[in-house]
Amino acid sequence: MLFQAEGVTVCMVILESADWADRQALLDSLMRASALAGRVNRTYLVIPRSTASIVDARVFQGIGIGLFTYDQRNVEEALPARYFEAKEHAYNATASPLSTQLQTELHELRIQFDSLESIVRQLKEELASVREARTPGGVVRAVPQPNSAEAIGLASGLPGFLTGNPWVEVLSRRGREENTIAG
Amino acid sequence: MSGYKERYTFGMDFGTSDVKFGPITCGDAPKILHNRGYFPDRDSIMMRALNEAPEVVVGEDVPLYLQSSDDLSSRLIYPMRNGIIDRADDKAWRVVNEISRFGLRMFRPNPDEDFEGFCVVASISSVCPRYMYESLFDTMTEAAKEGLVKAITIISQPFAVAIGHGVTTCVVVESGHGNTQVCPISSYPIRSALVAVNRGGGEANSIAAEILKDLGYGDLAREEAFVRRVKENLGLLPLDLDRAVKAAKDSPSKFRARFKVPGTRVEIDFGEKSWQRFLIGEYVFNPRNELFQSYLTRGMPKPKDVKIGGAVFEGMIDFGEAIVRSVEKCPVELQPLLYKEILLSGGNFSWQTPEKLRDFATDAPTKMKTLLKEKGIKGVSVRMTKNPQYSVWHGCIIYGYAVPQDYGWNWERMEGWLPVAA
């Protein structure tokens, strides 16, 4: 992802959590980030916050690449990127094909999105007709969501392994009888 | 029976590899976590930048914090690898503390319920010394300050197995990674008859690694997880080792051991040496056969007699002998009843028995009967526990539910409830 403002170009190479598990994808991203240093003014690697602890930041600090971490709520700059004088021609030379490629990808994505939208609409209609057929009164019961805390309150009856277990009787007499075998 | 305990009894099985925990409302299966904790390097640049690394990490987050593999041995702590924690092992106790609170917090009910803390039943190895009980009580007392614990009690794992299995008079043989405990039960665990063996699944791994080295897979033999897979997929428990080895040497193709690791190009083939697959199972049950001598003289660690926390763990005693010794410490009148119900518990007793090798490879109960027969003990009944993975946790829940709340903790009986609510 490229940003341009006030004559400064910043490139962000974003790593998804899934990429993190794929050694090849990880290496590709690191190589891409490394190759961009000098072609843009600042280069950042953007990594999931949960994986940040296993990154040795000194390596990135050494080559001037910065680090952003993100989770579902925040994006933070963990390590600032060093400023490089960018060779403008190098960037411009690559800008055009990059832009064309992005436009093509955007177009393909739009087609896929339209197709998915139509499928979802169709599924919604089918679901509505099934609901109507199965609930003559038109009443649909809500399915309770699993929740560990709620489960405690909702659980009824005791677990099956307690049923018929002779120890329940033996142990319930503890403290009310003398035992001669205890070691 | 108390309505409170019907909802808030909480079981915690501290196994050598995993902790199984959860309240009575969990149903038949508890939650399972690796019994381990990771101490991140809090001085590293990223940890400082993020300013969020806890002192110790437990649960599913551990892999997210793992750093250099060189540091793993000092930073990734399995506190109960041998069932017992040293009194002064602060790191191990820190992990136990964190895991306990992690488990209890996971099931804390809504604040508007009548919750006064869980009635916790923890289960640990039968050979644990008194200071481990005291430290665990301290851990739960700390958790009580958060309102998580109302009362705590601790029972031994073999006792919990017997309870979970619904048998009131029996011998429980519990075999874990590092050791094996033989404990007779007759309404109470008979502590004076306890026999501990310094041998478990780890020994089967050791001999499997030696065999792999001899076959030219020395580089792979260094990976413990890989060796364990070889043991589980190729290891066999012989009915009679000498007979099985002779048959396998005479007909190597029938006994051929081959294993391809899924998703890799790695394939292990014992080839002409496929008879060695029988050594893996035999070594756990009876390491005294002379076939093991060559491995021991070449440096394979020999299971030694060790004293851990006041209990002596014998290294080379066979499992049949261990049962006989344990039972013979009990009253004579009780002995026949104990032999009639021998329960085997733990993953170390799970051995495959391929159909075409049924005459030579056997399961753990049959092997145990054979070892006892050699010692003149006949008419025994040996069974695997119905649900080996959860039987200790089931026992904890039943114990906590059934034992009256006014039955106070007694150090002589090592039973009863210790109230700890803040």
Side-chain angles (χ1 to χ4, degrees):
Chain A
M1 194 179 283
L2 276 171
F3 296 97
Q4 256 184 319
E6 296 171 3
V8 177
T9 314
V10 179
C11 180
M12 314 284 245
V13 178
I14 301 171
L15 260 174
E16 307 265 342
S17 294
D19 297 337
W20 199 255
D22 179 351
R23 198 178 181 83
Q24 191 57 45
L26 176 64
L27 283 173
D28 284 348
S29 303
L30 293 176
M31 294 300 287
R32 259 191 304 138
S34 176
L36 282 163
R39 289 165 67 186
V40 294
N41 300 112
R42 293 184 197 276
T43 309
Y44 282 90
L45 190 64
V46 187
I47 57 176
R49 191 178 179 81
S50 58
T51 57
S53 58
I54 56 174
V55 171
D56 188 348
R58 282 170 298 191
V59 176
F60 295 98
Q61 203 172 28
I63 56 174
I65 294 176
L67 279 175
F68 268 96
T69 62
Y70 69 91
D71 58 19
Q72 287 175 332
R73 283 178 301 213
N74 296 312
V75 178
E76 282 178 23
E77 185 185 39
L79 182 69
R82 201 185 306 156
Y83 182 85
F84 289 96
E85 280 300 334
K87 294 171 185 169
E88 202 173 325
H89 67 275
Y91 170 66
N92 284 340
T94 56
S96 182
L98 187 64
S99 156
T100 314
Q101 190 192 337
L102 283 173
Q103 274 180 354
T104 315
E105 282 181 9
L106 192 63
H107 180 67
E108 283 170 4
L109 281 172
R110 190 164 289 153
I111 294 170
Q112 285 173 4
F113 179 79
D114 289 345
S115 152
L116 282 171
E117 202 175 30
S118 137
I119 292 169
V120 169
R121 199 179 305 119
Q122 197 182 333
L123 283 172
K124 262 182 161 178
E125 283 165 9
E126 281 178 17
L127 185 64
S129 65
V130 168
R131 274 180 176 161
E132 268 177 36
R134 294 189 67 176
T135 54
V139 180
V140 178
R141 259 188 222 166
V143 178
Q145 295 300 306
N147 172 306
S148 64
E150 277 178 18
I152 291 172
L154 291 174
S156 62
L158 294 164
F161 59 81
L162 270 152
T163 314
N165 191 309
W167 279 101
V168 175
E169 172 62 22
V170 172
L171 293 168
S172 64
R173 292 199 302 266
R174 287 290 207 256
R176 288 153 177 74
E177 60 173 15
E178 286 299 311
N179 191 290
T180 52
I181 297 171
Chain B
M1 208 64 65
S2 155
Y4 190 84
K5 285 202 289 161
E6 280 175 26
R7 282 172 294 152
Y8 300 127
T9 296
F10 196 102
M12 234 176 200
D13 167 21
F14 288 97
T16 49
S17 299
D18 296 319
V19 185
K20 288 137 201 165
F21 60 92
I24 190 168
T25 46
C26 267
D28 284 344
K31 290 268 180 196
I32 302 179
L33 274 188
H34 286 303
N35 192 354
R36 64 181 186 177
Y38 185 71
F39 290 81
D41 177 8
R42 299 173 91 195
D43 292 331
S44 75
I45 289 179
M46 276 313 291
M47 291 295 177
R48 275 186 293 176
L50 294 166
N51 194 28
E52 66 167 14
E55 186 196 340
V56 55
V57 185
V58 299
E60 284 151 11
D61 284 350
V62 167
L64 302 178
Y65 285 86
L66 294 180
Q67 292 162 299
S68 156
S69 55
D70 295 340
D71 290 341
L72 282 188
S73 58
S74 62
R75 296 191 179 280
L76 189 59
I77 306 293
Y78 285 81
M80 296 197 175
R81 211 46 164 160
N82 296 307
I84 293 178
I85 305 176
D86 278 348
R87 190 198 295 264
D89 191 344
D90 291 338
K91 274 191 168 178
W93 283 113
R94 186 81 184 80
V95 173
V96 172
N97 201 308
E98 203 59 37
I99 286 176
S100 303
R101 284 192 294 179
F102 179 88
L104 291 162
R105 281 180 195 143
M106 189 182 283
F107 290 99
R108 186 202 288 267
N110 293 328
D112 55 345
E113 292 179 30
D114 61 345
F115 182 65
E116 299 165 18
F118 287 111
C119 298
V120 179
V121 183
S123 192
I124 53 178
S125 165
S126 59
V127 289
C128 286
R130 178 170 167 150
Y131 69 78
M132 279 192 67
Y133 284 71
E134 290 168 342
S135 297
L136 215 46
F137 285 152
D138 289 345
T139 294
M140 294 301 167
T141 306
E142 279 299 307
K145 289 177 186 165
E146 288 181 42
L148 291 166
V149 184
K150 182 179 184 184
I152 160 82
T153 186
I154 302 171
I155 58 175
S156 70
Q157 282 156 348
F159 186 33
V161 167
I163 297 172
H165 205 73
V167 186
T168 52
T169 303
C170 61
V171 177
V172 176
V173 187
E174 161 80 20
S175 191
H177 177 84
N179 61 56
T180 302
Q181 312 153 50
V182 182
C183 185
I185 311 277
S186 178
S187 294
Y188 287 81
I190 306 173
R191 292 179 192 285
S192 55
L194 191 74
V195 169
V197 182
N198 185 25
R199 228 172 45 244
E203 270 58 45
N205 292 355
S206 297
I207 189 132
E210 291 300 319
I211 290 168
L212 287 170
K213 276 189 229 167
D214 286 350
L215 291 168
Y217 302 106
D219 49 339
L220 295 168
R222 282 195 289 269
E223 284 185 43
E224 192 183 329
F226 173 76
V227 172
R228 204 175 64 230
R229 288 180 80 172
V230 170
K231 172 187 79 174
E232 288 166 359
N233 285 279
L234 299 181
L236 294 176
L237 181 61
L239 200 54
D240 177 307
L241 181 64
D242 295 333
R243 196 171 71 88
V245 167
K246 185 178 180 309
K249 281 183 175 173
D250 289 345
S251 175
S253 60
K254 182 180 173 187
F255 291 83
R256 187 159 181 187
R258 244 194 319 200
F259 169 57
K260 187 170 188 321
V261 182
T264 71
R265 296 194 307 157
V266 178
E267 185 172 9
I268 300 296
D269 187 352
F270 281 26
E272 292 292 309
K273 297 287 175 70
S274 290
W275 58 271
Q276 293 183 340
R277 60 196 304 198
F278 288 111
L279 301 180
I280 299 172
E282 182 75 7
Y283 193 58
V284 180
F285 280 68
N286 179 17
R288 286 189 288 204
N289 193 296
E290 61 185 22
L291 275 171
F292 299 116
Q293 206 52 44
S294 71
Y295 293 96
L296 295 172
T297 50
R298 279 183 291 145
M300 184 175 74
K302 181 180 177 179
K304 290 185 181 134
D305 294 354
V306 289
K307 196 171 178 186
I308 306 175
V312 176
F313 289 66
E314 292 200 47
M316 296 295 280
I317 182 176
D318 77 62
F319 280 172
E321 179 66 27
I323 291 175
V324 170
R325 271 197 213 173
S326 175
V327 171
E328 290 187 349
K329 288 181 183 176
C330 299
V332 175
E333 211 176 338
L334 182 61
Q335 289 180 19
L337 300 176
L338 293 172
Y339 284 128
K340 275 191 184 148
E341 195 69 78
I342 297 171
L343 286 178
L344 308 183
S345 168
N348 201 21
F349 289 129
S350 299
W351 294 90
Q352 53 159 335
T353 49
E355 192 59 42
K356 64 174 185 174
L357 302 180
R358 275 283 162 90
D359 292 342
F360 303 97
T362 191
D363 55 15
T366 312
K367 180 73 178 179
M368 207 65 100
K369 276 187 212 166
T370 310
L371 288 172
L372 287 166
K373 198 175 171 187
E374 285 169 9
K375 283 151 188 85
I377 312 292
K378 293 174 189 166
V380 296
S381 163
V382 187
R383 285 191 292 164
M384 289 292 293
T385 50
K386 278 177 279 191
N387 199 339
Q389 205 181 5
Y390 303 142
S391 57
V392 172
W393 181 78
H394 287 175
C396 290
I397 293 294
I398 295 166
Y399 186 92
Y401 169 75
V403 170
Q405 239 172 328
D406 58 0
Y407 181 52
W409 176 260
N410 179 321
W411 279 108
E412 279 177 28
R413 286 198 193 278
M414 305 286 272
E415 271 205 335
W417 290 107
L418 184 77
V420 290

